[in-house]
Amino acid sequence: MNSSNLSMAESIVPSPYIKQARDARNSRENQVKQLLEQRKLPPDGWDDAAIEGFLYELAMMDSNNFQGNIGAGEREARIASDFVARRHFRLGHGVGRSGDITAIQPKAAGSSLLMRLTNCLVLDTIKLAGVRSAAACVLLPVATGMSLVLTFLTLRIKRPKAKYIIWPRIDQKSCFKSMITAGFEPVVVENVLEGDELRTDVAAVEEKIQELGSESILCLHSTTSCFAPRAADRLVELAALCKKYDIPHIVNNAYGVQSSKCMHLIQEAHRTGRLDAFVQSTDKNFLVPVGGAIVVGFEKHFIDDISQTYPGRASATPSIDVFITLLSLGASGYRKLLSQRKEVYEYLSAGLSSVAESHGEKLLKTKNNPISLALSLETIVGEATKSKALAGDTDEVDPTETTELGSMLFTRFVSGARVVASGSRRTIGSYTFINWGAHSNHYPSPYLTAAAAIGMTKDEVDAFLKRLKKVLMKFKRKRGVIQEVSQSKEEQEKSDRPDV
Ligand SMILES: *Cc1c(COP(=O)(O)O)cnc(C)c1O
């Protein structure tokens, strides 16, 4: 209700009550005013009523909700199911216009405002998380792999002679496929083993640049967040090479926003060398359903170019989800999630270390990977395989052994932990990777990885470690690594049950 309607209400309800209602309303209006003025994360999160009220107002600004509006075009945001309309808060026009995903849509002032505000809130969050000099960003309604495709295609216009993308190996399919889908030839640079860690071979990257010549290289495609024992790439050294040879540098920061270390690497690489843009997933960093990714750059025009490479309009859902989430968390809420994650990482690291010790294994030393941890399975899987090898069965680690351990965890409701051993090959496109999953042609031992990702709690870590211990014991018994302890059938069944 606007001010004059409230005044009229005073003839129905005594004016002191209306006055109080007016004050309460004004404080919500002020929240909106601050958001529009500052275009930053609110210091503290909004309550759901405020967010819902604001979304409703935005929806009423779109033509599909105008009273008496006649839509005479072929796309008028008509929605058959009211259930669907409510699922989208009656916003139906999506975002963008045919030639630019960040363009204002004349029929949809509310949706356009939401999209622009979301990009502002995201940029502020990226700065809060550590990349202070980020200049612009765009939330795309496709996941990280597709957003990388769009970024590469944008670069292609500027580098018509380029054929190759240099890529320090990371065994994740979507980022590899993004280069092939964009029509480029990935030049895979193997990692080097330093202690337990797999690290970027900077010298090999430079050799490749010299061998191919900068003009034929579209960009260097590096990675921060990844599974241990691979470390975040040596971004500062890579950025120095990109500056020296004048090659664009795109970083896959899939789940790196949640780590101050990944964000610091990006900030430093940009400050001292060349880094054009970094790409991250909305679901992995902002706890929303899968659907979007964010491309952040240091030059506004590059991000504008990417927005203009996107053909057509797009779903507003990924923007709406992030908009709601960031308003609801506020700066304090997101900071809290970041600091909780750091604690959970330390907690998981200590817990895995003690599991390792009790099995004569070790937590691999991967201090340059701030999110993922790896536990060696030298005796647990290795021994089982060795006894098989003695029997003349096989001469290397049998991948089925490790697959079995992984699936034992999965059936006990542990998802996301991966068991990796040498021996598996994977062909993607026309490329065959040896030891796919291990980021390396040779890694000395089989291992298990687990991640301390944003949102994970200490209770979840406790439950995970408990199930892991059970599974490791059972696996060893089964494989004859330790003697079968006589156990009644009942006991065995009991120990099989997940404690959920
Ligand atoms: C999640 C992830 C991606 C992207 O996967 P999408 O499904 O496209 O979001 C790329 N690289 C790494 C390392 C990832 O973890």
Side-chain angles (χ1 to χ4, degrees), residues 86-227:
R86 278 183 281 129
R87 188 177 110 80
H88 295 271
F89 308 99
R90 306 191 185 281
L91 295 160
H93 278 288
V95 294
R97 289 188 87 180
S98 18
D100 181 345
I101 198 162
T102 57
I104 299 298
Q105 176 57 238
K107 285 182 210 170
S111 293
S112 303
L113 183 56
L114 184 145
M115 175 267 296
R116 289 274 171 102
L117 282 174
T118 306
N119 285 334
C120 294
L121 293 182
V122 168
L123 185 62
D124 192 40
T125 312
I126 294 289
K127 290 179 180 174
L128 175 154
V131 182
R132 305 236 43 109
S133 57
C137 74
V138 58
L139 192 161
L140 297 171
V142 285
T144 309
M146 274 303 289
S147 297
L148 284 165
V149 170
L150 212 60
T151 307
F152 298 146
L153 292 177
T154 306
L155 283 176
R156 182 173 68 172
I157 302 158
K158 296 188 185 116
R159 300 175 73 82
K161 292 188 187 138
K163 271 173 64 183
Y164 306 104
I165 296 179
I166 299 188
W167 181 70
R169 177 171 169 182
I170 161 164
D171 291 0
Q172 203 279 351
K173 221 173 161 181
S174 19
C175 56
F176 181 69
K177 286 193 75 176
S178 68
M179 299 180 281
I180 298 174
T181 304
F184 294 93
E185 194 174 311
V187 177
V188 183
V189 176
E190 281 289 318
N191 299 300
V192 286
L193 189 62
E194 287 177 23
D196 290 337
E197 259 180 337
L198 288 164
R199 305 222 58 193
T200 323
D201 191 340
V202 179
V205 169
E206 183 160 20
E207 270 168 39
K208 276 290 170 203
I209 296 174
Q210 288 171 346
E211 182 190 318
L212 300 168
S214 358
E215 275 211 340
S216 72
I217 299 165
L218 182 83
C219 66
L220 177 76
H221 175 194
S222 65
T223 308
T224 52
S225 54
C226 59
F227 292 122

Side-chain angles (χ1 to χ4, degrees), residues 388-500:
K388 267 181 131 185
L390 283 177
D393 235 355
T394 173
D395 58 355
E396 60 171 27
V397 177
D398 177 358
T400 58
E401 296 275 352
T402 51
T403 316
E404 187 183 352
L405 184 56
S407 67
M408 282 169 79
L409 280 168
F410 190 73
T411 54
R412 282 156 186 81
F413 296 101
V414 173
S415 54
R418 297 155 68 251
V419 181
V420 178
S422 32
S424 77
R425 273 167 192 271
R426 173 72 71 92
T427 300
I428 305 171
S430 55
Y431 302 83
T432 298
F433 290 91
I434 300 168
N435 284 336
W436 173 260
H439 316 288
S440 161
N441 286 336
H442 316 278
Y443 193 78
S445 73
Y447 58 84
L448 173 140
T449 67
I454 190 165
M456 193 187 207
T457 62
K458 286 186 178 173
D459 285 346
E460 285 177 297
V461 172
D462 288 336
F464 163 60
L465 292 172
K466 196 167 160 194
R467 288 178 211 170
L468 175 64
K469 283 179 202 162
K470 273 191 197 167
V471 164
L472 289 177
M473 288 306 282
K474 189 172 163 90
F475 184 81
K476 281 169 118 177
R477 254 183 235 124
K478 223 168 144 181
R479 294 288 140 191
V481 179
I482 53 173
Q483 285 298 305
E484 183 76 53
V485 194
S486 60
Q487 218 181 15
S488 72
K489 200 159 180 265
E490 199 183 325
E491 271 176 351
Q492 190 147 9
E493 271 167 13
K494 205 169 126 200
S495 79
D496 275 358
R497 241 174 280 143
D499 41 282
V500 285

Side-chain angles (χ1 to χ4, degrees), residues 33-53:
K33 182 172 170 237
Q34 280 199 357
L35 177 68
L36 294 172
E37 253 172 25
Q38 304 185 351
R39 302 172 202 177
K40 283 186 174 161
L41 282 177
D44 295 304
W46 291 13
D47 60 16
D48 286 356
I51 299 172
E52 253 187 284

Side-chain angles (χ1 to χ4, degrees), residues 266-285:
I266 291 171
Q267 178 66 73
E268 278 306 287
H270 167 67
R271 191 177 66 79
T272 58
R274 176 163 183 183
L275 199 165
D276 298 67
F278 53 106
V279 183
Q280 37 269 307
S281 152
T282 54
D283 66 288
K284 289 179 190 169
N285 295 291

